């Protein structure tokens, strides 16, 4: 019987040779196709949770309404806020765009931590792929979904409900696109770095809380950086958070422009490079350190 | 050692070790507070110096009790865990140094996990895998057709994976692990938690691919029936070290020197004074279960005496089971660690 088996094998072997490296699809187009595939599948996965996006739209509008009302109350007594240059109209635009940009950058920052903790990350690591870029592609797929289901509807409602002027200069929109993308990357990498901490310690909650706290306050998502006291500025300036929300929002409402804008974009770009390096470092040493739980 | 193995070695493991530091947590509220400051660490030697070679096309059962170190070994072979010490080579690649290159060569199934995307139908996961493994379309389609047929997946492919039963999901996972024509297939407890029908489907499939493809298979299990049904070679691991490595058949021969006779008599149950070499292990109505030693009297003598002196109605001889052998080895405290190479 064993004889027969070996013979059977020999007869069939050629048909089932393993795929050689030459045979594999190479080249930029195929790599791109892979990542588009990832993004598409992740978009598709979002469809499984239909209810959530209605909540998302509702929440977004609610927050915009709350913040604009708050600013209105604050600005009632004095029309201009000190040296910041913010008028009521400007701060209203800021509040609206900050919230919309924030929603446009919504990212899943829990799945990697959960995977590392449960050990399910091993199922990604047995595949010949780069976890970071795979995750980024998935994230972009989700973002596309958020754009279609949340950002666009919320923006439409805001256009009708508020008097906001949309810049028409293509140069400004180009600059905004670049800044948005870099800000998006910054947030993605920040989440990634914090997720990597799970490789070393199971205690990730306090780190997450810290990240969330710092982000909420210093990203400029709620209050523009200009409103913080002078003595806090050195601290804020050594953190990357303002380049995630404050910078894109300020550019789109025309609060920051010219040389100042170029300067800040340069710094933002440096942050992206630096954090990219940090992500790579943390992934290589973290995955080596990986102690896969269970099974 | 069989001829295939002599031909070409595809997995080389040499004196492989992996230790884990385990914090000994104190209990209670005060304990968990104290844990913040001082932790006693204990070192667990999960894999403690194992050595083996596996040849192309072999089907090896990697067996041991819970916590013996099976999964830890598999994780080092797949490149997701770095060894503390020793060397490991899979198809000429050091897995933990070159995880991605290694991943192209291997297929992996972990019984308690899935490599499929939870919210997507398996069909879409397969499509993603095609892109990840950068398979030529024609090759992918051929594999896809063959695997769906062999595992009878056609009805399962359009259902989101989270809605499949464990057995159905395992079938999809098996297909996923074979889509890219891996040279080596690692299976870590693929039959765990499955019902008999599903287990049978898995075994049939594994037999099928071992027949039709020249894939090397390493199967981790603590289900001895898997081993008996599938593996020509067995490696038994006990507390991180190898207790036995050799052919499954030889293991039985070497370690079991007894067989069991089940005898049914004609409406009586005699004392067998004429056969003192038989040990009665059970006696029930007109049936007796008798153990006899292969080294003693010949089988022929026993049977002829039985039929000559007693009224035997029916008789059957039971072969020893691999699980009995393993129990015996464990009982001896892994004394017989020899016979690694035959
Ligand atoms: N991540 C880990 N951290 C600490 N100890 C571990 C870890 N993984 C495995 N071990 C220990 O190593 C030993 C072997 O585990 P494992 O290889 O999973 O066994 P098996 O798969 O044979 O049941 C066990 O004692 C287990 O507790
Ligand atoms: Mg295990």
């Amino acid at each position: 019987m064993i004889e027969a088996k070996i013979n059977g094998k020999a007869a069939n072997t050629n048909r089932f040779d393993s795929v050689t490296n030459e045979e594999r699809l190479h080249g930029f187009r195929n790599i791109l196709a892979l990542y588009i595939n990832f993004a598409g599948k992740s978009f598709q996965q979002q469809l499984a949770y239909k209810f959530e996006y209605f909540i998302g739209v509702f929440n977004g509008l609610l927050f915009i309404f709350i913040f604009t009302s708050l600013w209105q109350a604050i600005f009632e007594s004095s029309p201009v806020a000190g040296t910041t240059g913010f008028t009521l109209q400007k701060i209203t635009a800021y509040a609206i765009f900050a919230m919309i940009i924030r929603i446009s950058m919504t990212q899943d920052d829990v799945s990697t931590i959960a995977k590392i903790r449960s050990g399910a990350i091993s199922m990604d690591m047995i595949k010949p792929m780069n976890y970071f870029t795979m995750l980024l592609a998935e994230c972009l797929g989700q973002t596309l979904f958020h754009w279609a289901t949340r950002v666009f509807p919320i923006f439409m409602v805001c256009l009708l409900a508020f008097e906001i002027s949309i810049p028409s200069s293509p140069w400004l929109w180009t600059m905004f696109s670049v800044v948005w993308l870099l800000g998006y990357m910054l947030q993605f990498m920040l989440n990634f770095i914090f997720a990597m901490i799970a490789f070393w310690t199971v205690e990730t909650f306090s780190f997450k809380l810290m990240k969330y706290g710092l982000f909420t306050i210093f990203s400029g998502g709620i209050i523009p950086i200009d409103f913080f006291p002078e003595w806090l500025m050195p601290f804020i300036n050594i953190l990357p958070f303002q380049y995630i929300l404050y910078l894109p929002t300020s550019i789109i409402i025309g609060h920051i422009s010219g040389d100042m804008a170029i300067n800040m974009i340069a710094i933002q770009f440096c942050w992206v490079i630096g954090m990219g390096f940090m992500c790579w470092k943390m992934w290589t040493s973290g995955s080596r350190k990986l102690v896969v739980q269970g099974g | 050692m069989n001829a295939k193995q002599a031909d070409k070695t595809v997995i080389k493991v040499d004196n492989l070790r992996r230790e884990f530091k385990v914090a000994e947590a104190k209990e209670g509220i005060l304990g968990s507070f104290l844990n913040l400051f001082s932790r006693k660490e204990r070192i667990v030697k999960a894999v403690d110096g194992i050595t083996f070679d596996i040849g192309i096309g072999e089907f090896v059962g990697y067996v041991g009790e819970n916590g013996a170190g099976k999964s830890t070994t598999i994780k080092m072979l797949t490149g997701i865990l770095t060894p503390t010490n020793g060397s490991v080579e899979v198809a000429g690649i050091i897995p933990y140094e070159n995880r991605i290159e290694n991943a192209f060569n291997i297929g992996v199934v972990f019984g308690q996990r899935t490599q499929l995307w939870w919210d997507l139908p398996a069909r879409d996961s397969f499509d993603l895998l095609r892109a990840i493994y950068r398979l030529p379309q024609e090759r992918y389609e051929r594999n896809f057709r063959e695997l769906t047929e062999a595992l009878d997946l056609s009805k399962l492919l359009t259902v989101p994976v989270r809605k499949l039963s464990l057995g159905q999901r395992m079938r999809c996972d098996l297909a996923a692990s074979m889509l890219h024509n891996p040279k080596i297939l690692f299976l870590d407890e693929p039959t765990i938690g499955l019902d008999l029908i599903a287990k049978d489907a898995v075994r049939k499939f594994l037999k099928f691919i071992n027949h039709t493809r020249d894939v090397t298979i390493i199967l981790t299990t603590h289900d001895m029936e898997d081993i008996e049904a599938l593996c020509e070679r067995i490696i038994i691991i006990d507390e991180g070290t190898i207790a036995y490595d050799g052919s499954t058949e030889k293991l039985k021969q070497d370690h079991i020197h007894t067989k069991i006779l089940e005898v049914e008599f004609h409406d009586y149950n005699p004392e067998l004074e004429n056969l003192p070499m038989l040990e009665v292990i059970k006696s029930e109505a007109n049936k007796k279960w008798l153990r006899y030693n292969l080294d003693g009297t010949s089988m022929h003598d026993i049977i002829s005496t039985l039929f000559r002196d007693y009224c035997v109605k029916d008789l059957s001889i039971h072969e020893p089971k691999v699980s009995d052998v393993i129990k015996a080895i464990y009982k001896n405290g892994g004394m017989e660690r020899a016979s690694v190479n035959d």
Side-chain angles (χ1 to χ4, degrees):
Chain A
M1 169 175 163
I2 290 173
E3 233 80 299
K5 192 168 165 183
I6 294 171
N7 289 340
K9 258 184 204 168
N12 283 326
T13 300
N14 290 339
R15 277 208 302 141
F16 300 109
D17 263 354
S18 49
V19 186
T20 60
N21 192 34
E22 291 76 49
E23 246 184 292
R24 280 180 212 140
L25 302 173
H26 289 280
F28 180 72
R29 262 187 58 192
N30 286 305
I31 304 283
L32 192 69
L34 167 64
Y35 288 117
I36 289 175
N37 208 333
F38 268 130
K41 290 291 174 351
S42 136
F43 186 99
Q44 192 185 335
Q45 269 182 305
Q46 298 295 307
L47 295 170
Y49 308 96
K50 292 181 190 86
F51 186 64
E52 287 194 353
Y53 84 82
F54 289 112
I55 301 273
V57 170
F58 178 77
N59 275 354
L61 287 170
L62 186 68
F63 274 114
I64 287 173
F65 177 74
I66 291 172
F67 287 128
T68 48
S69 307
L70 269 176
W71 287 120
Q72 202 161 12
I74 293 166
F75 273 70
E76 219 146 53
S77 47
S78 60
V80 181
T83 55
T84 62
F86 272 103
T87 59
L88 175 60
Q89 201 196 2
K90 204 166 159 190
I91 195 77
T92 305
Y94 186 95
I96 293 165
F97 276 104
M99 185 50 71
I100 292 177
I101 291 169
R102 188 172 184 169
I103 294 168
S104 76
M105 289 188 180
T106 310
Q107 294 170 355
D108 169 11
D109 63 343
V110 293
S111 70
T112 300
I113 296 177
K115 274 183 183 177
I116 293 172
R117 278 191 162 186
S118 71
I121 192 126
S122 53
M123 299 320 283
D124 292 299
M125 290 177 65
I126 58 165
K127 296 177 182 127
M129 62 186 188
N130 180 313
Y131 187 75
F132 180 86
T133 44
M134 189 265 320
L135 194 69
L136 181 61
E138 281 190 351
C139 196
L140 284 166
Q142 286 162 14
T143 298
L144 214 64
F145 186 82
H146 287 144
W147 276 84
T149 59
R150 293 183 189 173
V151 177
F152 188 69
I154 291 175
F155 188 58
M156 283 298 140
V157 173
C158 287
L159 275 186
L160 296 173
F162 300 94
E163 276 180 44
I164 40 179
S165 57
I166 303 167
S168 55
S169 138
W171 160 238
L172 195 97
W173 277 106
T174 315
M175 192 152 75
F176 173 74
S177 307
V178 170
V179 168
W180 182 89
L181 207 65
L182 291 173
Y184 184 87
M185 281 306 295
L186 266 185
Q187 194 186 20
F188 177 79
M189 294 193 290
L190 206 68
N191 287 339
F192 190 82
I193 288 167
F194 272 84
M196 289 300 101
I197 293 173
F199 276 126
W200 283 272
T201 163
V202 263
E203 220 303 287
T204 49
F205 181 72
S206 48
F207 286 102
K208 209 180 142 189
L209 207 66
M210 185 179 87
K211 184 193 76 182
Y212 185 76
L214 288 173
F215 179 84
T216 304
I217 299 167
F218 297 122
S219 67
I222 296 171
I223 305 167
I225 302 300
D226 315 58
F227 286 62
F228 286 114
E230 198 58 40
W231 57 266
L232 252 180
M233 288 321 285
F235 181 63
I236 294 171
N237 283 334
I238 58 160
L239 293 174
F241 300 101
Q242 58 175 311
Y243 303 99
I244 298 172
L245 291 180
Y246 174 72
L247 185 59
T249 310
S250 298
I251 283 180
I252 197 75
I253 66 162
H255 179 59
I256 292 178
S257 56
D259 285 353
M260 171 89 166
I262 301 291
N263 267 343
M264 284 189 78
I265 294 171
I267 299 173
Q268 190 192 30
F269 186 73
C270 292
W271 268 110
V272 170
I273 301 291
M275 297 238 289
F277 179 74
M278 183 119 165
C279 286
W280 175 69
K281 261 324 243 191
M282 284 193 76
W283 170 259
T284 43
S285 52
S287 57
R288 281 230 159 174
K289 163 97 193 155
L290 172 67
V291 168
V292 181
Q293 309 286 323
Chain B
M1 188 178 292
N2 66 47
K4 285 178 284 173
Q5 189 177 345
D7 269 342
K8 236 177 182 178
T9 306
V10 72
I11 296 176
K12 271 189 205 151
V13 171
D14 190 20
N15 205 13
L16 190 64
R17 283 167 211 277
R18 172 71 208 208
E19 293 170 354
F20 290 108
K21 286 203 185 88
V22 185
E24 288 193 337
K26 299 181 188 74
E27 282 174 24
I29 296 173
L30 182 67
S32 57
F33 183 70
L34 289 175
N35 281 337
L36 292 174
F37 302 103
S38 77
R39 284 202 183 192
K40 263 201 196 133
E41 281 188 340
R42 191 168 49 93
I43 286 181
V44 176
K45 293 177 174 174
V47 170
D48 195 16
I50 58 171
T51 302
F52 58 76
D53 284 354
I54 289 172
I56 290 179
E58 276 199 273
F59 198 142
V60 180
Y62 198 62
V63 189
E65 293 182 334
N66 264 331
K70 304 183 294 294
S71 297
T72 307
T73 313
I74 299 292
K75 284 170 193 164
M76 288 191 279
L77 288 168
T78 52
I80 59 180
L81 193 67
T82 312
T84 310
N85 221 313
S87 74
V88 48
E89 209 180 290
V90 175
I93 289 167
I94 298 172
Y96 61 93
E97 280 183 358
N98 210 336
R99 177 180 66 81
I100 291 189
E101 225 11 75
N102 188 49
F104 276 113
N105 290 333
I106 63 172
V108 188
V109 174
F110 285 114
Q112 299 101 313
R113 303 189 192 286
T114 180
Q115 61 166 310
L116 305 166
W117 279 258
W118 203 238
D119 293 318
L120 297 177
R123 170 107 229 199
D124 292 340
S125 284
F126 291 173
D127 190 45
L128 265 174
L129 290 171
R130 176 190 58 75
I132 291 171
Y133 287 95
R134 300 194 251 132
L135 286 173
Q137 190 68 27
E138 171 266 334
R139 172 85 82 138
Y140 166 76
E141 269 161 22
R142 198 175 69 198
N143 278 343
F144 177 81
R145 237 180 298 123
E146 230 192 65
L147 292 166
T148 4
E149 197 192 301
L151 285 157
D152 192 20
L153 299 182
S154 49
K155 289 200 191 76
L156 309 179
L157 288 172
T158 49
V159 185
V161 168
R162 68 185 134 85
K163 289 188 181 157
L164 297 178
S165 76
L166 189 60
Q168 293 171 330
R169 208 201 67 207
M170 182 47 61
R171 271 149 62 199
C172 293
D173 255 296
L174 279 170
S177 71
M178 285 301 297
L179 268 179
H180 57 285
N181 286 77
K183 291 186 181 124
I184 303 147
L185 184 59
F186 294 104
L187 304 152
D188 193 358
E189 311 247 12
T191 54
I192 201 164
L194 299 188
D195 60 36
L196 286 175
I197 297 168
K199 267 185 189 172
D200 201 47
V202 170
R203 285 181 197 146
K204 276 211 179 94
F205 174 73
L206 293 178
K207 241 188 193 145
F208 166 75
I209 51 165
N210 191 237
H211 270 267
T212 55
R213 305 188 176 198
D214 214 12
V215 59
T216 310
I217 305 183
I218 297 183
L219 168 70
T220 278
T221 183
H222 55 247
D223 185 333
M224 288 315 137
E225 285 178 31
D226 288 344
I227 303 292
E228 297 227 48
L230 299 166
C231 308
E232 287 160 41
R233 178 177 167 195
I234 181 170
I235 298 176
I236 302 175
I237 179 167
D238 180 27
E239 290 178 2
T241 58
I242 290 177
Y244 176 87
D245 180 355
S247 87
T248 313
E249 206 44 50
K250 193 165 185 303
L251 177 74
K252 283 193 200 171
Q253 285 166 13
D254 286 0
H255 290 266
I256 295 221
H257 306 281
T258 57
K259 283 191 181 181
I260 310 279
L261 276 179
E262 186 185 337
V263 190
E264 191 181 349
F265 300 97
H266 272 291
D267 58 354
Y268 82 132
N269 196 341
E271 295 297 315
L272 304 174
E273 285 113 353
N274 300 350
L275 292 160
M277 63 293 232
L278 295 181
E279 180 195 348
V280 181
I281 38 177
K282 207 163 123 194
S283 183
E284 203 175 76
N286 53 349
K287 262 186 162 183
K288 264 190 165 65
W289 283 262
L290 307 156
R291 181 185 293 137
Y292 74 95
N293 204 314
L294 295 168
D295 309 334
T297 334
S298 79
M299 186 67 158
H300 178 264
D301 290 349
I302 294 173
I303 306 271
S304 54
T305 312
L306 256 177
F307 276 89
R308 195 188 59 219
D309 298 352
Y310 307 94
C311 276
V312 176
K313 187 179 172 190
D314 196 7
L315 178 141
S316 51
I317 302 167
H318 295 292
E319 292 281 330
K321 287 207 175 99
V322 175
S323 58
D324 298 331
V325 182
I326 290 169
K327 266 186 221 134
I329 290 179
Y330 277 132
K331 233 197 236 150
N332 294 345
M335 280 295 289
E336 313 188 35
R337 301 239 150 155
S339 73
V340 169
N341 288 310
D342 36 299

